Structure formats: structure tokens, C-alpha cells
Amino acid sequence: MKQFLLLSFMAFGLLSYGQNPYIYSIEILPQNPSTNDEIFLATHVATGNLGDYLGSTVDVNGNTITAESCYFVGPLTQPEQYYDTISIGYLSSGSYYLNYTGQISWNTNCIVQQTNSQDTTFFVEEFLSLDEAKTDEVMIYPNPTNTGTIY
């Protein structure tokens, strides 16, 4: 009986190693970025086996952005959820394509075993600066008082 339980546990554990990371969502922050905003990628990812977040990388090549996050798959069968915010940086105005890949590693060196990806597009608007009005050039006519008393 002990051998059966041990083999069952090992088989279930090996099956759970084959899980890809599940990407619930990716979102660009702020939602309508301008060239004056630092842009972030917010991710919500789940992995099996109660692992750990190992890190992320971002590569901007023209108007194509590739972002990757690596997760260590732990020894337990309990799923783990991660909410991460990854800096993309400041971008020029234009339309962008972003591909995000979640990666699973069986060790903490991020040797990739399984992946899952999701993509999105977004637009960065040109920031238009506004000059403040020069108050010394504002004049009001006619003078609203006729007695010199301001009410």
C-alpha cells in the first residue's frame, strides 16, 4: 500500500510539472499613455506547484516590445498567482505591438520548460505641453465698479 501511495504521489507530481503558466491578463498602464508617461505592463499569471517569481525582461525593438517573466515550479501541487508590474519605459508616439510570455522553469536558473504567451497593441500619444497664461497681459474692460468699492 505504501508503494502505491508513493507511486501515485510521484505520478501526480510529475503530471503537475507539465503545467504551462496561465496568463489571466496583461494591461498597459496608464491606459492611454503619452510620450510624457513612464509605461508599465501589469500582469496576472498563475503557475502550478507553489513556485516562485524569478524575474522579467523587456526588449523594445522599434514598435515591437517583447516581455518575458520566468517562474520556478515548486514541489507542491498548489497553484500560485502572481501580480507583477514591469517597467517598459518612455516611448515615442506611435502604435506598439507587445508580446508577453510567461515561462516555467524547473529550477531557479530559469531554464525554460513550458511557456504561454499573450499579446496586445496600444498607442502612445504625443504629449502636448501647455504654456501658462501670462497674467500681466490680462485686462478687464469696462471697470466693473462705479464707486471704487469692490463687493
Side-chain angles (χ1 to χ4, degrees), residues 20-86:
N20 289 344
Y22 180 78
I23 302 171
Y24 285 101
S25 65
I26 60 173
E27 182 180 2
I28 299 298
L29 299 175
Q31 290 183 347
N32 297 309
S34 73
T35 54
N36 200 42
D37 296 320
E38 182 175 5
I39 300 170
F40 295 91
L41 170 64
T43 64
H44 178 193
V45 178
T47 65
N49 303 342
L50 199 61
D52 199 8
Y53 170 75
L54 298 176
S56 296
T57 60
V58 174
D59 180 43
V60 179
N61 187 2
N63 287 27
T64 301
I65 302 168
T66 304
E68 299 174 340
S69 294
C70 190
Y71 303 91
F72 166 63
V73 176
L76 303 175
T77 57
Q78 180 180 350
E80 181 70 28
Q81 293 191 41
Y82 304 91
Y83 299 89
D84 299 310
T85 304
I86 304 162

Side-chain angles (χ1 to χ4, degrees), residues 96-110:
Y96 289 87
Y97 169 79
L98 181 135
N99 178 264
Y100 173 75
T101 302
Q103 304 170 334
I104 293 288
S105 174
W106 292 348
N107 61 36
T108 57
N109 296 328
C110 198

Side-chain angles (χ1 to χ4, degrees), residues 132-151:
E132 293 188 27
K134 296 180 181 178
T135 56
D136 59 345
E137 293 179 9
V138 175
M139 301 180 123
I140 299 175
Y141 292 99
N143 189 341
T145 65
N146 54 7
T147 62
T149 306
I150 299 176
Y151 298 97

